[in-house]
Amino acid sequence: MKILHFADVHLGRGFSGYAEVSEELSEARYETLENLISKANEKQCDVIVIAGDLFERPRMNKADVERVIQILNRFERGPVLLLPGNHDYVTPESDLWRYVNDAKDDHVIVLGEKAPKSLGDYDLPATIYPAPCHSKHSSENEIGWIADVEKDSELINIGIAHGSVPGVAPDMNDEHYPMTQEELSDSGVDLWLLGHIHVPWPDNPGQKDRILYSGTPEPDTANCPHGGTALLVEIGESKEVYVQQLLTGKYRFENWDEHVTSKEELENLLQRAEQEESQEVVCRLTINGKLEEEACKSWHEEIFPKLREAFFYLKLDDSDLKRRITKEQVEEEFPQESFPDRLLSRFIENDQEEALQTAYELISEVQDEN
């Protein structure tokens, strides 16, 4: 049996912190979902498993839900197993899942109840044990019932859940359906396919790994230091498991923290950006340091404009990038033996850069006001 496993697409997510490109970032998530279904058809997968948080929230625009389900309906070979996660949790009065049920074809199956689901109708020797979320937060997981169910050892028994695993996913307040590895291993299933964390785990899964996080197929923050992932999971006749990680995303999010002291270092920063194929990178750049006047001019007039072009989107904080104050500059800007001249010159002579910078900025601020 061949499974395409992914989770945490968060369709409908907004990107208010990236206002200029928010629409492109939101739309990319739909494009990635379309590509995943095409990939599943191309790889002749038997099953698609979406382990929670396909949607960003339990209240979604009906037209957006219908668009998503129309994409899922295009899977050709078998069932699409759709688990409610903690962002798109299921409740009896949920409009979201009513919209889903109204729009989906029969082979798109919502795993909204804690009950075994046989895939025998699809000629697949497998039983699914789902653990759907029914609220955004819970200190208790939904997998406890699974250990008590008698399993058919002739079938492939697969658990699907959404939540944190201590030691794998941070959950400081134990509020995201925490499941221990021991609980998962003792449940009696052959394989766990999980969602919730946005990075894949393990990094390089082997045949002995039976607890798998797929990661998100389209990153949304720099906390996902990858280009988007899904897992192609193949299960053999003897229940051996082979896992291939697929790169699936359109955009990457990166944080760059840079300290520069010269024009050469600025040029190296630009070269790094241009060489790393950064056109699809959303970058938060924090840059600090002190530069000579010529380097400062180069930053504003030459380096920064080119750096902005190198990325899909650049969010810049250069508030701590300062011009280095020199004796020549002080002599040029302030009368000889004036208070600013004497004060700043003393800081220069004593190599007190921090005090020099602070004093210069205060003096300049007072002069601007006058």
Side-chain angles (χ1 to χ4, degrees):
M1 187 166 68
K2 189 182 294 186
I3 303 169
L4 180 66
H5 167 217
F6 60 92
D8 299 285
V9 191
H10 289 276
L11 294 160
R13 171 165 187 168
F15 290 87
S16 58
Y18 305 91
E20 298 91 332
V21 293
S22 60
E23 289 187 13
E24 291 94 328
L25 295 174
S26 294
E27 182 62 23
R29 315 193 81 72
Y30 291 93
E31 294 176 20
T32 294
L33 181 64
E34 290 178 337
N35 292 336
L36 285 164
I37 302 307
S38 296
K39 179 67 70 174
N41 287 330
E42 174 192 325
K43 296 287 188 180
Q44 297 186 319
C45 292
D46 300 296
V47 186
I48 291 177
V49 169
I50 305 175
D53 288 359
L54 177 63
F55 299 98
E56 169 65 8
R57 53 191 169 273
R59 294 182 179 178
M60 293 283 296
N61 180 281
K62 183 178 180 181
D64 291 335
V65 176
E66 291 175 343
R67 178 186 178 187
V68 172
I69 299 307
Q70 287 167 6
I71 295 171
L72 299 185
N73 286 342
R74 296 175 199 158
F75 182 51
E76 298 170 351
R77 290 177 59 87
V80 178
L81 304 178
L82 181 51
L83 184 82
N86 75 304
H87 274 255
D88 53 9
Y89 57 87
V90 62
T91 61
E93 62 276 6
S94 172
D95 284 339
L96 168 63
W97 295 103
R98 179 168 55 82
Y99 296 156
V100 169
N101 285 319
D102 288 346
K104 73 180 186 65
D105 289 346
D106 289 343
H107 71 290
V108 177
I109 300 170
V110 177
L111 301 174
E113 298 180 359
K114 294 188 289 185
K117 175 65 180 177
S118 171
L119 299 186
D121 291 345
Y122 299 91
D123 294 325
L124 296 171
T127 300
I128 303 300
Y129 297 85
C133 296
H134 297 281
S135 61
K136 186 166 186 178
H137 299 113
S138 175
S139 60
E140 297 182 1
N141 63 58
E142 299 287 351
I143 69 171
W145 66 276
I146 298 173
D148 298 329
V149 178
E150 186 175 351
K151 317 294 190 304
D152 186 340
S153 61
E154 297 298 315
L155 299 176
I156 302 168
N157 297 290
I158 300 174
I160 305 175
H162 190 93
S164 63
V165 175
V168 177
D171 188 0
M172 304 303 291
N173 298 316
D174 290 332
E175 60 181 4
H176 295 115
Y177 297 85
M179 307 166 279
T180 68
Q181 294 188 52
E182 183 178 10
E183 283 180 292
L184 293 164
S185 298
D186 291 346
S187 64
V189 303
D190 302 304
L191 177 67
W192 276 103
L193 302 178
L194 304 180
H196 180 60
I197 64 172
H198 289 201
V199 293
W201 185 86
D203 292 334
N204 297 296
Q207 290 189 30
K208 294 183 179 180
D209 291 309
R210 300 304 174 97
I211 302 172
L212 303 173
Y213 276 108
S214 64
T216 179
E218 183 64 39
D220 49 15
T221 70
N223 293 326
C224 313
H226 58 81
T229 55
L231 299 180
L232 185 64
V233 181
E234 295 191 55
I235 305 173
E237 292 183 1
S238 301
K239 298 187 181 182
E240 65 272 24
V241 176
Y242 306 92
V243 183
Q244 178 185 354
Q245 189 179 100
L246 305 177
L247 297 180
T248 58
K250 182 174 183 179
Y251 297 113
R252 297 198 321 275
F253 285 72
E254 296 183 1
N255 282 338
W256 289 22
D257 293 302
E258 304 293 332
H259 178 76
V260 293
T261 58
S262 67
K263 182 179 179 181
E264 182 182 6
E265 290 178 351
L266 290 172
E267 291 171 342
N268 290 340
L269 173 63
L270 175 60
Q271 185 178 25
R272 173 187 162 197
E274 292 176 335
Q275 288 180 344
E276 289 197 1
E277 300 178 356
S278 301
Q279 281 295 336
E280 303 304 323
V281 171
V282 178
C283 181
R284 286 180 178 267
L285 172 62
T286 302
I287 186 168
N288 61 65
K290 292 185 176 65
L291 299 170
E292 301 289 350
E293 184 174 2
E294 181 185 351
C296 272
K297 184 177 179 182
S298 178
W299 165 250
H300 291 290
E301 296 181 1
E302 178 185 354
I303 304 296
F304 172 61
K306 290 182 180 179
L307 194 64
R308 185 168 51 192
E309 292 177 4
F311 294 100
F312 169 71
Y313 180 72
L314 177 63
K315 198 174 185 72
L316 174 69
D317 180 0
D318 63 349
S319 57
D320 286 329
L321 185 62
K322 310 291 185 180
R323 183 173 63 162
R324 181 174 289 111
I325 311 304
T326 63
K327 179 65 174 174
E328 292 74 21
Q329 180 183 342
V330 171
E331 292 174 350
E332 182 179 327
E333 293 189 22
F334 304 103
Q336 189 174 5
E337 293 302 316
S338 65
F339 173 72
D341 173 56
R342 287 185 285 111
L343 178 66
L344 298 177
S345 296
R346 186 180 306 157
F347 286 143
I348 292 172
E349 290 166 4
N350 294 329
D351 199 24
Q352 295 175 279
E353 282 202 18
E354 221 173 284
L356 171 64
Q357 191 71 42
T358 301
Y360 177 83
E361 290 175 2
L362 288 172
I363 292 169
S364 299
E365 189 176 315
V366 170
Q367 285 188 328
D368 290 342
E369 290 177 355
N370 295 331

